[in-house]
PDB file of all heavy atoms in Angstrom:
ATOM      1  N   ILE A1252      34.121  41.381 144.393  1.00  0.00           N
ATOM      2  CA  ILE A1252      33.559  40.198 144.942  1.00  0.00           C
ATOM      3  C   ILE A1252      32.455  39.656 144.007  1.00  0.00           C
ATOM      4  O   ILE A1252      32.398  38.489 143.663  1.00  0.00           O
ATOM      5  CB  ILE A1252      32.972  40.413 146.313  1.00  0.00           C
ATOM      6  CG1 ILE A1252      34.115  40.710 147.312  1.00  0.00           C
ATOM      7  CG2 ILE A1252      32.178  39.164 146.810  1.00  0.00           C
ATOM      8  CD1 ILE A1252      33.596  41.211 148.692  1.00  0.00           C
ATOM      9  N   ALA A1253      31.571  40.567 143.569  1.00  0.00           N
ATOM     10  CA  ALA A1253      30.469  40.188 142.657  1.00  0.00           C
ATOM     11  C   ALA A1253      31.031  39.643 141.334  1.00  0.00           C
ATOM     12  O   ALA A1253      30.478  38.670 140.822  1.00  0.00           O
ATOM     13  CB  ALA A1253      29.574  41.383 142.451  1.00  0.00           C
ATOM     14  N   ALA A1254      32.051  40.297 140.812  1.00  0.00           N
ATOM     15  CA  ALA A1254      32.659  39.831 139.543  1.00  0.00           C
ATOM     16  C   ALA A1254      33.175  38.421 139.682  1.00  0.00           C
ATOM     17  O   ALA A1254      33.009  37.595 138.737  1.00  0.00           O
ATOM     18  CB  ALA A1254      33.724  40.769 139.059  1.00  0.00           C
ATOM     19  N   ALA A1255      33.773  38.163 140.845  1.00  0.00           N
ATOM     20  CA  ALA A1255      34.331  36.786 141.010  1.00  0.00           C
ATOM     21  C   ALA A1255      33.188  35.765 141.125  1.00  0.00           C
ATOM     22  O   ALA A1255      33.291  34.664 140.505  1.00  0.00           O
ATOM     23  CB  ALA A1255      35.176  36.757 142.327  1.00  0.00           C
ATOM     24  N   TYR A1256      32.107  36.087 141.798  1.00  0.00           N
ATOM     25  CA  TYR A1256      30.989  35.174 141.847  1.00  0.00           C
ATOM     26  C   TYR A1256      30.357  34.974 140.480  1.00  0.00           C
ATOM     27  O   TYR A1256      30.052  33.857 140.107  1.00  0.00           O
ATOM     28  CB  TYR A1256      29.893  35.718 142.799  1.00  0.00           C
ATOM     29  CG  TYR A1256      30.090  35.280 144.220  1.00  0.00           C
ATOM     30  CD1 TYR A1256      30.089  36.262 145.267  1.00  0.00           C
ATOM     31  CD2 TYR A1256      30.204  34.006 144.574  1.00  0.00           C
ATOM     32  CE1 TYR A1256      30.245  35.876 146.590  1.00  0.00           C
ATOM     33  CE2 TYR A1256      30.377  33.591 145.917  1.00  0.00           C
ATOM     34  CZ  TYR A1256      30.396  34.542 146.907  1.00  0.00           C
ATOM     35  OH  TYR A1256      30.539  34.173 148.195  1.00  0.00           O
ATOM     36  N   VAL A1257      30.158  36.005 139.721  1.00  0.00           N
ATOM     37  CA  VAL A1257      29.554  35.917 138.392  1.00  0.00           C
ATOM     38  C   VAL A1257      30.493  35.077 137.500  1.00  0.00           C
ATOM     39  O   VAL A1257      29.974  34.273 136.699  1.00  0.00           O
ATOM     40  CB  VAL A1257      29.292  37.317 137.836  1.00  0.00           C
ATOM     41  CG1 VAL A1257      28.905  37.205 136.334  1.00  0.00           C
ATOM     42  CG2 VAL A1257      28.216  38.002 138.590  1.00  0.00           C
ATOM     43  N   HIS A1258      31.750  35.283 137.588  1.00  0.00           N
ATOM     44  CA  HIS A1258      32.715  34.511 136.758  1.00  0.00           C
ATOM     45  C   HIS A1258      32.601  33.016 137.014  1.00  0.00           C
ATOM     46  O   HIS A1258      32.811  32.216 136.085  1.00  0.00           O
ATOM     47  CB  HIS A1258      34.147  35.032 137.060  1.00  0.00           C
ATOM     48  CG  HIS A1258      35.193  34.336 136.242  1.00  0.00           C
ATOM     49  ND1 HIS A1258      35.323  34.555 134.870  1.00  0.00           N
ATOM     50  CD2 HIS A1258      36.144  33.451 136.577  1.00  0.00           C
ATOM     51  CE1 HIS A1258      36.337  33.803 134.414  1.00  0.00           C
ATOM     52  NE2 HIS A1258      36.829  33.135 135.478  1.00  0.00           N
ATOM     53  N   ARG A1259      32.325  32.634 138.224  1.00  0.00           N
ATOM     54  CA  ARG A1259      32.213  31.202 138.612  1.00  0.00           C
ATOM     55  C   ARG A1259      30.889  30.583 138.245  1.00  0.00           C
ATOM     56  O   ARG A1259      30.715  29.359 138.358  1.00  0.00           O
ATOM     57  CB  ARG A1259      32.490  31.029 140.091  1.00  0.00           C
ATOM     58  CG  ARG A1259      33.956  31.214 140.440  1.00  0.00           C
ATOM     59  CD  ARG A1259      34.134  30.891 141.900  1.00  0.00           C
ATOM     60  NE  ARG A1259      33.585  32.007 142.676  1.00  0.00           N
ATOM     61  CZ  ARG A1259      34.024  32.443 143.836  1.00  0.00           C
ATOM     62  NH1 ARG A1259      35.075  31.837 144.393  1.00  0.00           N
ATOM     63  NH2 ARG A1259      33.507  33.430 144.491  1.00  0.00           N
ATOM     64  N   GLU A1260      29.941  31.408 137.858  1.00  0.00           N
ATOM     65  CA  GLU A1260      28.617  30.842 137.534  1.00  0.00           C
ATOM     66  C   GLU A1260      28.681  30.012 136.281  1.00  0.00           C
ATOM     67  O   GLU A1260      29.452  30.252 135.409  1.00  0.00           O
ATOM     68  CB  GLU A1260      27.581  32.009 137.293  1.00  0.00           C
ATOM     69  CG  GLU A1260      27.137  32.681 138.555  1.00  0.00           C
ATOM     70  CD  GLU A1260      26.296  31.739 139.393  1.00  0.00           C
ATOM     71  OE1 GLU A1260      25.234  31.288 138.957  1.00  0.00           O
ATOM     72  OE2 GLU A1260      26.696  31.463 140.525  1.00  0.00           O
ATOM     73  N   ARG A1261      27.797  28.979 136.206  1.00  0.00           N
ATOM     74  CA  ARG A1261      27.692  28.116 135.098  1.00  0.00           C
ATOM     75  C   ARG A1261      27.361  28.906 133.823  1.00  0.00           C
ATOM     76  O   ARG A1261      27.872  28.660 132.744  1.00  0.00           O
ATOM     77  CB  ARG A1261      26.649  27.066 135.321  1.00  0.00           C
ATOM     78  CG  ARG A1261      26.584  26.018 134.234  1.00  0.00           C
ATOM     79  CD  ARG A1261      25.525  24.970 134.535  1.00  0.00           C
ATOM     80  NE  ARG A1261      25.750  24.402 135.827  1.00  0.00           N
ATOM     81  CZ  ARG A1261      24.870  23.667 136.515  1.00  0.00           C
ATOM     82  NH1 ARG A1261      23.707  23.472 136.010  1.00  0.00           N
ATOM     83  NH2 ARG A1261      25.205  23.212 137.680  1.00  0.00           N
ATOM     84  N   ASN A1262      26.463  29.861 133.942  1.00  0.00           N
ATOM     85  CA  ASN A1262      26.033  30.707 132.862  1.00  0.00           C
ATOM     86  C   ASN A1262      26.238  32.239 133.247  1.00  0.00           C
ATOM     87  O   ASN A1262      25.301  32.790 133.758  1.00  0.00           O
ATOM     88  CB  ASN A1262      24.579  30.456 132.468  1.00  0.00           C
ATOM     89  CG  ASN A1262      24.160  31.164 131.189  1.00  0.00           C
ATOM     90  OD1 ASN A1262      24.984  31.864 130.582  1.00  0.00           O
ATOM     91  ND2 ASN A1262      22.933  30.957 130.808  1.00  0.00           N
ATOM     92  N   PRO A1263      27.455  32.699 133.102  1.00  0.00           N
ATOM     93  CA  PRO A1263      27.746  34.025 133.614  1.00  0.00           C
ATOM     94  C   PRO A1263      26.986  35.197 132.903  1.00  0.00           C
ATOM     95  O   PRO A1263      26.976  36.302 133.356  1.00  0.00           O
ATOM     96  CB  PRO A1263      29.244  34.204 133.405  1.00  0.00           C
ATOM     97  CG  PRO A1263      29.624  33.178 132.373  1.00  0.00           C
ATOM     98  CD  PRO A1263      28.627  32.109 132.473  1.00  0.00           C
ATOM     99  N   ASP A1264      26.335  34.857 131.756  1.00  0.00           N
ATOM    100  CA  ASP A1264      25.613  35.921 131.062  1.00  0.00           C
ATOM    101  C   ASP A1264      24.253  36.219 131.690  1.00  0.00           C
ATOM    102  O   ASP A1264      23.545  37.168 131.335  1.00  0.00           O
ATOM    103  CB  ASP A1264      25.416  35.485 129.603  1.00  0.00           C
ATOM    104  CG  ASP A1264      26.747  35.347 128.878  1.00  0.00           C
ATOM    105  OD1 ASP A1264      27.657  36.058 129.273  1.00  0.00           O
ATOM    106  OD2 ASP A1264      26.801  34.545 127.926  1.00  0.00           O
ATOM    107  N   VAL A1265      23.846  35.385 132.675  1.00  0.00           N
ATOM    108  CA  VAL A1265      22.509  35.531 133.277  1.00  0.00           C
ATOM    109  C   VAL A1265      22.455  36.798 134.160  1.00  0.00           C
ATOM    110  O   VAL A1265      21.439  37.485 134.137  1.00  0.00           O
ATOM    111  CB  VAL A1265      22.151  34.292 134.118  1.00  0.00           C
ATOM    112  CG1 VAL A1265      20.877  34.488 134.880  1.00  0.00           C
ATOM    113  CG2 VAL A1265      22.011  33.070 133.175  1.00  0.00           C
ATOM    114  N   VAL A1266      23.520  37.085 134.857  1.00  0.00           N
ATOM    115  CA  VAL A1266      23.508  38.288 135.739  1.00  0.00           C
ATOM    116  C   VAL A1266      24.926  38.962 135.607  1.00  0.00           C
ATOM    117  O   VAL A1266      25.929  38.292 135.395  1.00  0.00           O
ATOM    118  CB  VAL A1266      23.221  37.890 137.198  1.00  0.00           C
ATOM    119  CG1 VAL A1266      24.314  37.034 137.773  1.00  0.00           C
ATOM    120  CG2 VAL A1266      22.951  39.093 138.051  1.00  0.00           C
ATOM    121  N   GLN A1267      24.893  40.253 135.731  1.00  0.00           N
ATOM    122  CA  GLN A1267      26.168  41.044 135.678  1.00  0.00           C
ATOM    123  C   GLN A1267      26.500  41.411 137.090  1.00  0.00           C
ATOM    124  O   GLN A1267      25.679  41.548 138.010  1.00  0.00           O
ATOM    125  CB  GLN A1267      25.940  42.292 134.828  1.00  0.00           C
ATOM    126  CG  GLN A1267      25.572  42.015 133.382  1.00  0.00           C
ATOM    127  CD  GLN A1267      25.254  43.271 132.660  1.00  0.00           C
ATOM    128  OE1 GLN A1267      25.068  44.311 133.231  1.00  0.00           O
ATOM    129  NE2 GLN A1267      25.152  43.174 131.327  1.00  0.00           N
ATOM    130  N   ALA A1268      27.832  41.646 137.270  1.00  0.00           N
ATOM    131  CA  ALA A1268      28.320  41.999 138.622  1.00  0.00           C
ATOM    132  C   ALA A1268      27.704  43.265 139.124  1.00  0.00           C
ATOM    133  O   ALA A1268      27.372  43.342 140.329  1.00  0.00           O
ATOM    134  CB  ALA A1268      29.831  42.069 138.571  1.00  0.00           C
ATOM    135  N   THR A1269      27.518  44.264 138.293  1.00  0.00           N
ATOM    136  CA  THR A1269      26.959  45.511 138.686  1.00  0.00           C
ATOM    137  C   THR A1269      25.560  45.288 139.196  1.00  0.00           C
ATOM    138  O   THR A1269      25.190  45.872 140.236  1.00  0.00           O
ATOM    139  CB  THR A1269      26.934  46.513 137.510  1.00  0.00           C
ATOM    140  OG1 THR A1269      28.303  46.672 137.080  1.00  0.00           O
ATOM    141  CG2 THR A1269      26.391  47.853 137.957  1.00  0.00           C
ATOM    142  N   ILE A1270      24.774  44.477 138.493  1.00  0.00           N
ATOM    143  CA  ILE A1270      23.386  44.215 138.894  1.00  0.00           C
ATOM    144  C   ILE A1270      23.382  43.504 140.277  1.00  0.00           C
ATOM    145  O   ILE A1270      22.584  43.809 141.175  1.00  0.00           O
ATOM    146  CB  ILE A1270      22.680  43.385 137.861  1.00  0.00           C
ATOM    147  CG1 ILE A1270      22.478  44.257 136.596  1.00  0.00           C
ATOM    148  CG2 ILE A1270      21.349  42.905 138.382  1.00  0.00           C
ATOM    149  CD1 ILE A1270      21.940  43.486 135.398  1.00  0.00           C
ATOM    150  N   LEU A1271      24.320  42.594 140.453  1.00  0.00           N
ATOM    151  CA  LEU A1271      24.429  41.861 141.684  1.00  0.00           C
ATOM    152  C   LEU A1271      24.753  42.843 142.881  1.00  0.00           C
ATOM    153  O   LEU A1271      24.104  42.697 143.914  1.00  0.00           O
ATOM    154  CB  LEU A1271      25.523  40.793 141.591  1.00  0.00           C
ATOM    155  CG  LEU A1271      25.700  39.829 142.762  1.00  0.00           C
ATOM    156  CD1 LEU A1271      24.404  39.145 143.116  1.00  0.00           C
ATOM    157  CD2 LEU A1271      26.811  38.809 142.428  1.00  0.00           C
ATOM    158  N   VAL A1272      25.641  43.744 142.666  1.00  0.00           N
ATOM    159  CA  VAL A1272      25.988  44.728 143.719  1.00  0.00           C
ATOM    160  C   VAL A1272      24.796  45.621 143.980  1.00  0.00           C
ATOM    161  O   VAL A1272      24.495  45.928 145.168  1.00  0.00           O
ATOM    162  CB  VAL A1272      27.231  45.534 143.335  1.00  0.00           C
ATOM    163  CG1 VAL A1272      27.455  46.672 144.389  1.00  0.00           C
ATOM    164  CG2 VAL A1272      28.424  44.642 143.261  1.00  0.00           C
ATOM    165  N   HIS A1273      24.053  46.027 142.975  1.00  0.00           N
ATOM    166  CA  HIS A1273      22.856  46.886 143.180  1.00  0.00           C
ATOM    167  C   HIS A1273      21.780  46.131 143.930  1.00  0.00           C
ATOM    168  O   HIS A1273      21.116  46.710 144.772  1.00  0.00           O
ATOM    169  CB  HIS A1273      22.390  47.394 141.813  1.00  0.00           C
ATOM    170  CG  HIS A1273      23.339  48.399 141.258  1.00  0.00           C
ATOM    171  ND1 HIS A1273      23.036  49.138 140.133  1.00  0.00           N
ATOM    172  CD2 HIS A1273      24.577  48.776 141.613  1.00  0.00           C
ATOM    173  CE1 HIS A1273      24.046  49.920 139.822  1.00  0.00           C
ATOM    174  NE2 HIS A1273      24.989  49.698 140.673  1.00  0.00           N
ATOM    175  N   GLU A1274      21.575  44.819 143.644  1.00  0.00           N
ATOM    176  CA  GLU A1274      20.621  44.116 144.425  1.00  0.00           C
ATOM    177  C   GLU A1274      21.057  44.002 145.862  1.00  0.00           C
ATOM    178  O   GLU A1274      20.271  44.039 146.806  1.00  0.00           O
ATOM    179  CB  GLU A1274      20.490  42.686 143.772  1.00  0.00           C
ATOM    180  CG  GLU A1274      19.486  41.829 144.510  1.00  0.00           C
ATOM    181  CD  GLU A1274      18.064  42.267 144.421  1.00  0.00           C
ATOM    182  OE1 GLU A1274      17.654  42.927 143.443  1.00  0.00           O
ATOM    183  OE2 GLU A1274      17.333  41.989 145.367  1.00  0.00           O
ATOM    184  N   LEU A1275      22.362  43.780 146.072  1.00  0.00           N
ATOM    185  CA  LEU A1275      22.916  43.744 147.440  1.00  0.00           C
ATOM    186  C   LEU A1275      22.610  45.085 148.115  1.00  0.00           C
ATOM    187  O   LEU A1275      22.171  45.080 149.292  1.00  0.00           O
ATOM    188  CB  LEU A1275      24.401  43.492 147.399  1.00  0.00           C
ATOM    189  CG  LEU A1275      25.143  43.727 148.701  1.00  0.00           C
ATOM    190  CD1 LEU A1275      24.816  42.601 149.716  1.00  0.00           C
ATOM    191  CD2 LEU A1275      26.641  43.739 148.482  1.00  0.00           C
TER     192      LEU A1275
END
Side-chain angles (χ1 to χ4, degrees):
I1252 294 170
Y1256 272 127
V1257 168
H1258 180 72
R1259 287 184 287 212
E1260 283 294 297
R1261 185 178 306 163
N1262 188 359
D1264 297 332
V1265 172
V1266 67
Q1267 297 174 350
T1269 302
I1270 293 171
L1271 184 57
V1272 174
H1273 290 186
E1274 181 65 30
L1275 169 70

